[in-house]
Amino acid sequence: MQILQAAVTGLPPKQPFVLALSDDPQGTGRLETLAGFMTNPAGAAIVNTVGPIRQVMQGDGAAPKRYLVIATGTPAQPGELVQVQTQP
């Protein structure tokens, strides 16, 4: 089991978002949801998730690069991307 903690800022306040992994550096394509969260009145959040994160990141074969992304919506229905990791 691994723990991932992300401090996010600069988002609209009191809105639902999803922290996910993307294969693409632009954040497009299939997203692997890690956690859903709601921003506070300042548009920020501390997001925690516990689980087999390393296995999700490595997949079945060779470990491709993955990029953290933040999308609007919920884990069941992620929406538009709002932030994409700039460094792998």
Side-chain angles (χ1 to χ4, degrees), residues 1-81:
M1 299 300 266
Q2 294 88 36
I3 298 172
L4 172 70
Q5 184 176 64
V8 299
T9 61
L11 299 173
K14 299 182 181 180
Q15 298 293 313
F17 291 93
V18 176
L19 179 66
L21 290 170
S22 172
D23 295 341
D24 184 79
Q26 304 302 312
T28 59
R30 188 174 67 92
L31 298 181
E32 293 183 52
T33 301
L34 297 174
F37 65 96
M38 182 80 69
T39 53
N40 64 19
I46 301 294
V47 184
N48 295 299
T49 186
V50 177
I53 298 165
R54 214 173 262 156
Q55 288 79 1
V56 169
M57 291 183 72
Q58 292 177 348
D60 295 332
K65 288 186 180 181
R66 300 291 175 98
Y67 302 87
L68 285 171
V69 298
I70 298 174
T72 60
T74 64
Q77 291 186 315
E80 179 182 336
L81 292 177

